[in-house]
């Protein structure tokens, strides 16, 4: 695949990530969207269905992850990096979702900011923005040797 086609495909994939973000409120169940926008300082956490929330977060994370993995493959065309990324995304989901639901279970008694950022890592494609430069830097280091 030529470099220009890969670049065009990567731009389209980033546009898909933006669309998932833009329509996330309509597509996925998340009672904490408005809560974290303005009400978290004055109100108790909203009522939520744990299973429905976990399922929604899981599918949103899965969609973002699949798109991100294709972006990583398009950028580097190395299956080893994709395999590493799959392991990373899986471990990150398990750890972050356990933290997030534990924080919700204890009603965020230690503050709302930690829960806000854990939720952000779960529902937004932040990891691709971390992994792409990391893999690029690693590639440059290997070439320099």
């Amino acid at each position: 695949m030529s470099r220009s086609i890969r670049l065009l495909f990567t731009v389209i994939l980033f546009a898909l990530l933006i669309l998932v973000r833009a329509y996330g409120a309509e597509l996925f169940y998340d009672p904490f969207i408005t809560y974290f926008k303005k009400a978290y300082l004055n109100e108790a956490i909203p009522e939520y269905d744990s299973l429905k929330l976990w399922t929604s977060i899981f599918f949103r994370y899965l969609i973002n992850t699949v798109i991100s993995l294709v972006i990583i493959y398009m950028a580097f065309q190395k299956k080893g990096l994709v395999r590493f990324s799959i392991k990373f995304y899986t471990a990150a989901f398990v750890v972050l979702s356990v933290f997030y639901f534990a924080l919700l279970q204890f009603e965020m008694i230690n503050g709302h900011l930690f829960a806000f950022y854990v939720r952000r890592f779960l529902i937004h494609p932040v990891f691709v923005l971390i992994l792409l430069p990391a893999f690029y830097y690693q590639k440059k280091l290997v070439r320099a040797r």
Side-chain angles (χ1 to χ4, degrees):
M1 187 180 303
S2 75
R3 186 176 175 156
S4 58
I5 292 174
R6 284 190 354 231
L7 182 62
L8 176 66
F9 197 55
T10 303
V11 169
I12 291 169
L13 290 166
F14 272 107
L16 284 174
L17 287 175
I18 292 168
L19 286 173
V20 170
R21 167 82 165 104
Y23 292 103
E26 292 85 24
L27 296 173
F28 304 103
Y29 170 76
D30 192 353
F32 294 96
I33 289 174
T34 56
Y35 176 73
F36 281 122
K37 278 187 181 176
K38 49 187 150 189
Y40 73 94
L41 293 174
N42 303 326
E43 297 177 16
I45 65 171
E47 293 290 320
Y48 63 95
D49 180 347
S50 294
L51 181 61
K52 192 174 178 181
L53 180 61
W54 185 87
T55 304
S56 181
I57 288 173
F58 172 76
F59 280 116
R60 188 167 181 176
Y61 189 85
L62 182 65
I63 290 167
N64 285 331
T65 298
V66 169
I67 295 169
S68 298
L69 291 172
V70 176
I71 289 172
I72 290 168
Y73 183 74
M74 286 289 116
F76 300 102
Q77 293 190 326
K78 295 200 183 265
K79 291 179 182 176
L81 293 179
V82 174
R83 282 192 294 272
F84 171 81
S85 299
I86 289 170
K87 293 173 188 173
F88 177 82
Y89 274 100
T90 303
F93 180 76
V94 169
V95 170
L96 290 173
S97 62
V98 166
F99 274 138
Y100 185 59
F101 283 95
L103 290 167
L104 292 180
Q105 187 66 31
F106 294 111
E107 297 182 357
M108 299 180 248
I109 55 174
N110 290 332
H112 299 86
L113 216 50
F114 188 58
F116 172 77
Y117 285 112
V118 170
R119 178 183 162 274
R120 178 161 281 184
F121 273 94
L122 284 168
I123 68 171
H124 300 307
V126 177
F127 291 129
V128 74
L129 300 175
I130 296 168
L131 290 175
L132 280 175
F135 291 151
Y136 180 75
Y137 182 70
Q138 179 187 19
K139 181 179 171 182
K140 288 294 184 187
L141 282 179
V142 168
R143 267 195 208 157
R145 290 181 186 184

